[in-house]
Amino acid sequence: HVQLAESGGGSVQAGGSLRLSCTVSPATYMSYQLGWFRQAPEKERQGIVLIDSDGTTHYDESVKGRFTISKDNAKNSLYLQMNSLRPEDTGMYYCAAFPPGSTTVARMAVAYGFWDKGTQVTVSS
């Protein structure tokens, strides 16, 4: 049974930082691809980062160098450290899990998977 629970998010000025957290059910954490996608108002869902079970990371170009995904195996938790935030980063952010080897960053927004209710990130200029 796949379970995900997000926390974090909030409002920040451009250039600031936020950290998102996601607790994942143990079996899912160990084997699934995990990541984050976002959706801005009136825009399509966008995959931004994916981490494979072996720790390999994949970033969308829009966040590369600014966002960092990490895992804490002791806590079955996933994190997204977001630095140098921009107004265009505003949106709902979703922690997501995908069957092993099933997707890429480019496809994760429309791939079969599981996600939580999302958390709002607002970046003001």
Side-chain angles (χ1 to χ4, degrees):
H1 182 58
V2 177
Q3 289 184 308
L4 304 144
E6 297 157 342
S7 61
S11 297
V12 66
Q13 289 191 326
S17 298
L18 285 172
R19 188 191 196 211
L20 306 182
S21 302
C22 179
T23 302
V24 185
S25 49
T28 303
Y29 180 88
M30 293 301 295
S31 62
Y32 273 46
Q33 290 178 287
L34 303 174
W36 301 84
F37 65 84
R38 66 187 180 189
Q39 188 163 23
E42 301 181 354
K43 290 191 176 180
E44 293 185 352
R45 194 179 293 173
Q46 177 194 18
I48 56 173
V49 61
L50 198 62
I51 185 167
D52 298 333
S53 59
D54 66 357
T56 303
T57 57
H58 313 273
Y59 291 90
D60 183 78
E61 287 296 325
S62 64
V63 304
K64 193 176 291 185
R66 300 187 298 123
F67 291 11
T68 303
I69 191 171
S70 62
K71 297 170 71 175
D72 184 335
N73 294 338
K75 298 181 178 179
N76 292 331
S77 292
L78 183 71
Y79 304 100
L80 183 64
Q81 178 66 41
M82 304 185 292
N83 298 329
S84 302
L85 283 161
R86 305 167 180 169
E88 55 264 39
D89 294 319
T90 295
M92 286 293 289
Y93 282 67
Y94 299 85
C95 173
F98 303 90
S102 68
T103 194
T104 63
V105 172
R107 294 181 57 245
M108 65 186 290
V110 295
Y112 169 79
F114 305 86
W115 48 88
D116 196 26
K117 61 186 181 305
T119 186
Q120 178 68 35
V121 171
T122 302
V123 184
S124 57
S125 57

